[in-house]
Amino acid sequence: RANLNQQIIKEMRMRAGAENLLKATSNSKVKDMVLLELSYVNSNLQLLMGQLEGLNSSVEVYQSSQETANIPLIALGLKETKEVDFSTPFKDYIVSHYNEDGADYEDELADLMDLRQSCRTPSRSEAGVELLAKYFNHLPLVESRFFSPTHHSSIFFTWYDSFTGVPVCQQNLSLEKASMLFNMAALYSQIGTRSDRQTSAGLKEAISAFQKAAGILNHLKETFTHTPSYDMSPAMLAMLIRMMLAQAQECFFEQLALPGVRNEVLSLLRMAQEAAKVSEVYDHVHQSMIQTPVKDNVPFFWSTMSQVKTNHYRSMAHYFVASALLDHQVGPSDDEDQQEKSLSQVYDHLPDGCSPLDILKKTAERERVGHAPKGHEEALRIYCLCHHLNKLEVLQDILKASHQRSLHKASDNQTDEEFTDYLDAPDIISKTEQQAEMEVPATLKVKVNDFFQRLGPLSMFSAKQRWTAPRKVRLRTEDRDLGFTLKGEAPVQVVSLDPLCPAAADGLKEGDYIVAVGEAECKRLGVGEVMRLLKDVDEQGVDITVVSVLDSNPTMPTKSATFCGNLPKTYSMICLAYDSDDKNGKMRKVSKKSSFLSWGLKNKLKSTSTVSLPTTEQSWNKACPAFPPSSYKDATLY
């Protein structure tokens, strides 16, 4: 798949260059040469697209390794991506934004890159899904750390469309998140197709896998609404969800039929409605596959397979009804009312003048209504239309065996009359005891440890928050008083600073955050823990490291370009303007507050009045709201 994607993008670049040359030149000879070259390039593209479709149609790769006689199921292939080097951009960002040495985080960067690289070739098991989910759950943390909402990253994420091979490139993490969800759903679909459907446990595993695949695809469809990749468009995702649920419903039917169908009227009628349900859901899948624009990208093999299953299971439903009507008569010990009720609920309508009770009691009516139909011939005809389906000998054997079984049923009950007034079999009402439903796996909500937790708490030390460079401040005690108090969670903040204390004279400011006391880092320490570090300050004092939040207005963001097959698609970001009011606060006279290090001692009056910076009750510089607003969803792709 990766090799095909590379060849497709090469041909697309050649085609784009030839088209540009065709527009730029006026020389007739050059135009003729370019047109000839374009015909070759387009032919190569068609061949490559055919190979990619064949790869998506290779269902044998994903089927169970056991020798089975089950109808093959369809699995999604994983999306391919290019390698991404986080090392240099993230190191530079750590230096410029967090004012730390990026070389100190080489191990964390290596772990992140190794995790992403391993996600390109996960195992077809729950362990593989957990691997993808681990990286997916790390992405919001990485985004908060290194992707500013007002400046675009220098990292480009490239993913290839699984149906067309067209590359899509973006600078934000939305495409990365969406593609990981798609691959998780694809992996679950492969787990479902590889399950051993000859056992009850294998069928249960397949049902769960397909329902989880549908749940993840639905989550992708609702969360990421503007993905530029065709395979993740809303229409394509809606079709894939239906296909996954249809395959789960098919496995439900196989689960009921696995121990065998009891040869009695009620059991046969029940299985008939179950088979009609499978036919109905596959018909819905086929209808969604032939709609624009899905039909332009979905493999022909898929749409043909859905047609085959629609006709196969519809004919199977009629076969079960025929068996119930032709092989059984109402006996004295049978519950006539129950059979009449069940039969009345099987057909959506009955011929005029024909009632369920008449059909049950009259042999002629049973033969007229319940003759085995020949609908399997349509399934075999459609099967022959697709050369990829012709390679599935197991499917052909099943269709032929079902056809022969229906013919035998009809011949065994054929009368000696030359002409028999057979009725077209009415449509069977679909009904199931277990409806396939979407299931969101718990792995999507698993918590992970932040690789870059040494940068500080994410609530404060993120890409949205800008900080000053760390600076050293010498603390000395005077009468066991440092001249300020602390508040807040980690990191702690300096408040109630006495402007006449030695710390203020050395550069400490109201609102500074303490990130280190001596050699001890304090980014993740609360007030109590920092207090214990400061209690032992002697007359020589101690150096603390502090940082301040920069009061900056969000700048006008630039446009973000999404490159899809060398064609830029530009989406404008929503820009919000904020008024920075209350810039000039008024100074007020306040009495000095007691420090938490005073230990109950009475502070000496240093001056009759001191000038104090505002506390949380009165802010001089009101912080601007961060961009984007809280209503912003990371689902939107720009």
Side-chain angles (χ1 to χ4, degrees):
R1 184 181 293 270
N3 186 32
L4 280 175
N5 289 334
Q6 293 297 326
Q7 294 182 53
I8 289 174
I9 187 58
K10 179 181 177 181
E11 295 295 333
M12 291 184 67
R13 288 172 177 169
M14 292 180 63
R15 185 174 68 177
E19 290 174 348
N20 292 335
L21 180 58
L22 192 63
K23 295 176 182 179
T25 185
S26 58
N27 190 314
S28 59
K29 292 185 177 180
V30 174
K31 284 187 176 182
D32 292 340
M33 293 177 61
V34 172
L35 288 174
L36 180 62
E37 185 65 27
L38 269 176
S39 65
Y40 289 139
V41 172
N42 288 328
S43 298
N44 290 337
L45 273 175
Q46 290 296 327
L47 291 174
L48 292 173
M49 292 296 183
Q51 294 180 33
L52 186 60
E53 181 178 349
L55 189 62
N56 288 325
S57 304
S58 300
V59 296
E60 302 98 331
V61 180
Y62 305 109
Q63 304 306 306
S64 173
S65 57
Q66 303 293 330
E67 291 287 338
T68 64
N70 293 98
I71 297 179
L73 300 173
I74 296 175
L76 299 179
L78 297 179
K79 288 174 66 69
E80 286 289 332
T81 182
K82 286 185 176 181
E83 293 186 10
V84 175
D85 182 13
F86 293 110
S87 180
T88 302
F90 281 7
K91 284 181 180 179
D92 294 341
Y93 196 84
I94 290 173
V95 173
S96 62
H97 187 81
Y98 295 101
N99 297 290
E100 295 192 28
D101 188 358
D104 295 339
Y105 292 87
E106 287 185 353
D107 292 340
E108 289 84 348
L109 291 170
D111 291 340
L112 177 63
M113 293 172 63
D114 289 343
L115 178 59
R116 187 184 189 275
Q117 183 66 18
S118 61
C119 288
R120 299 180 65 183
T121 55
S123 61
R124 295 190 184 109
S125 62
E126 285 289 343
V129 177
E130 291 177 1
L131 179 67
L132 298 182
K134 181 180 179 181
Y135 179 67
F136 173 78
N137 289 313
H138 270 293
L139 290 178
L141 303 178
V142 173
E143 185 176 32
S144 298
R145 293 285 190 190
F146 300 103
F147 290 83
S148 172
T150 57
H151 297 87
H152 295 299
S153 170
S154 60
I155 300 176
F156 287 86
F157 298 95
T158 302
W159 287 85
Y160 294 89
D161 190 285
S162 60
F163 296 115
T164 64
V166 176
V168 178
C169 184
Q170 285 193 342
Q171 290 175 266
N172 56 44
L173 280 173
S174 295
L175 178 63
E176 187 89 343
K177 295 176 186 177
S179 299
M180 292 309 300
L181 285 176
F182 185 93
N183 277 359
M184 290 175 64
L187 209 54
Y188 268 123
S189 72
Q190 295 177 18
I191 293 174
T193 56
R194 290 178 66 86
S195 301
D196 184 7
R197 290 151 59 202
Q198 291 297 313
T199 64
S200 179
L203 283 169
K204 185 177 180 180
E205 180 188 31
I207 292 169
S208 177
F210 287 126
Q211 291 186 141
K212 289 178 180 178
I216 295 177
L217 290 171
N218 185 65
H219 178 70
L220 171 59
K221 178 174 173 287
E222 294 180 348
T223 308
F224 300 90
T225 56
H226 294 88
T227 50
S229 185
Y230 297 118
D231 54 1
M232 294 188 290
S233 62
M236 182 65 76
L237 290 177
M239 183 277 293
L240 293 177
I241 293 170
R242 287 184 176 181
M243 187 174 71
M244 292 298 112
L245 292 178
Q247 295 188 144
Q249 195 68 49
E250 184 179 5
C251 292
F252 279 137
F253 175 80
E254 292 178 349
Q255 194 175 42
L256 291 174
L258 182 64
V261 182
R262 298 181 64 181
N263 190 18
E264 56 185 32
V265 174
L266 296 181
S267 296
L268 291 170
L269 294 180
R270 171 197 173 196
M271 291 302 297
Q273 291 189 294
E274 291 283 352
K277 182 64 179 180
V278 179
S279 174
E280 180 185 62
V281 294
Y282 270 113
D283 184 53
H284 293 163
V285 172
H286 178 254
Q287 293 302 320
S288 62
M289 285 182 177
I290 61 177
Q291 300 297 322
T292 306
V294 175
K295 68 177 182 179
D296 297 329
N297 298 317
V298 71
F300 179 67
F301 167 84
W302 290 14
S303 60
T304 308
M305 175 71 88
S306 62
Q307 267 188 300
V308 168
K309 290 189 177 183
T310 299
N311 288 277
H312 171 70
Y313 283 104
R314 181 186 294 123
S315 299
M316 186 178 292
H318 286 289
Y319 173 81
F320 282 124
V321 175
S323 298
L325 296 179
L326 300 177
D327 297 347
H328 297 276
Q329 300 288 337
V330 179
S333 61
D334 293 332
D335 189 344
E336 184 177 308
D337 293 338
Q338 183 64 32
Q339 289 190 14
E340 180 183 6
K341 180 180 178 181
S342 299
L343 184 60
S344 65
Q345 295 174 351
V346 168
Y347 289 125
D348 61 350
H349 71 279
L350 288 174
D352 294 338
C354 185
S355 66
L357 189 59
D358 293 337
I359 297 175
L360 289 174
K361 290 186 175 182
K362 299 178 182 178
T363 303
E365 290 296 326
R366 283 175 175 262
E367 292 179 355
R368 288 179 65 241
V369 177
H371 68 281
K374 302 178 181 179
H376 290 289
E377 293 179 354
E378 179 66 12
L380 283 168
R381 184 189 70 81
I382 298 173
Y383 167 84
C384 297
L385 296 179
C386 180
H387 69 279
H388 291 298
L389 274 180
N390 294 336
K391 300 176 183 178
L392 301 178
E393 296 180 358
V394 173
L395 177 59
Q396 184 182 26
D397 293 341
I398 293 174
L399 295 179
K400 287 184 176 180
S402 300
H403 185 211
Q404 291 297 322
R405 185 176 59 180
S406 295
L407 292 177
H408 291 159
K409 179 65 65 177
S411 61
D412 291 344
N413 293 273
Q414 190 172 7
T415 62
D416 295 334
E417 298 181 7
E418 184 176 355
F419 297 101
T420 303
D421 185 20
Y422 289 131
L423 299 174
D424 290 336
D427 291 334
I428 297 176
I429 300 174
S430 63
K431 184 180 178 181
T432 181
E433 295 182 358
Q434 192 170 4
Q435 179 76 32
E437 297 178 350
M438 293 179 289
E439 179 182 348
V440 179
T443 51
L444 286 180
K445 303 177 182 178
V446 172
K447 292 184 178 180
V448 294
N449 294 324
D450 186 5
F451 281 139
F452 302 94
Q453 58 183 343
R454 289 197 293 124
L455 290 173
L458 187 57
S459 59
M460 296 295 295
F461 296 93
S462 66
K464 295 180 180 180
Q465 196 79 276
R466 296 183 60 213
W467 298 87
T468 62
R471 62 184 190 277
K472 299 285 186 179
V473 176
R474 190 70 177 179
L475 289 186
R476 298 180 180 84
T477 59
E478 291 188 0
D479 296 330
R480 307 177 68 83
D481 182 17
L482 293 176
F484 59 84
T485 58
L486 301 178
K487 75 166 188 178
E489 302 294 335
V492 296
Q493 188 178 21
V494 174
V495 295
S496 302
L497 175 67
D498 181 5
L500 301 180
C501 70
D506 200 28
L508 188 64
K509 299 178 181 178
E510 181 88 7
D512 282 348
Y513 290 86
I514 300 179
V515 295
V517 175
E519 299 297 329
E521 185 181 294
C522 302
K523 287 182 178 180
R524 293 187 170 273
L525 301 183
V527 173
E529 296 167 303
V530 176
M531 284 172 60
R532 284 191 288 271
L533 293 176
L534 295 177
K535 279 183 180 180
D536 298 330
V537 177
D538 53 18
E539 294 180 356
Q540 299 296 327
V542 65
D543 288 332
I544 64 172
T545 305
V546 297
V547 293
S548 301
V549 178
L550 290 175
D551 183 18
S552 60
N553 292 324
T555 59
M556 183 72 69
T558 57
K559 292 183 178 180
S560 173
T562 299
F563 294 94
C564 180
N566 283 351
L567 298 178
K569 296 181 179 180
T570 304
Y571 304 87
S572 299
M573 302 179 76
I574 300 174
C575 304
L576 303 179
Y578 300 102
D579 295 329
S580 181
D581 52 0
D582 297 334
K583 287 290 184 181
N584 297 320
K586 295 183 179 180
M587 298 173 61
R588 60 189 179 92
K589 295 182 178 181
V590 296
S591 59
K592 179 184 174 184
K593 296 182 180 180
S594 300
S595 169
F596 67 87
L597 292 177
S598 60
W599 294 292
L601 296 179
K602 188 175 182 181
N603 292 309
K604 294 184 178 180
L605 187 62
K606 295 181 184 283
S607 59
T608 56
S609 63
T610 59
V611 179
S612 174
L613 293 178
T615 61
T616 55
E617 290 78 9
Q618 179 182 358
S619 176
W620 285 4
N621 295 318
K622 190 174 183 180
C624 294
F627 180 85
S630 57
S631 60
Y632 165 77
K633 296 182 179 179
D634 64 350
T636 307
L637 288 179
Y638 293 19

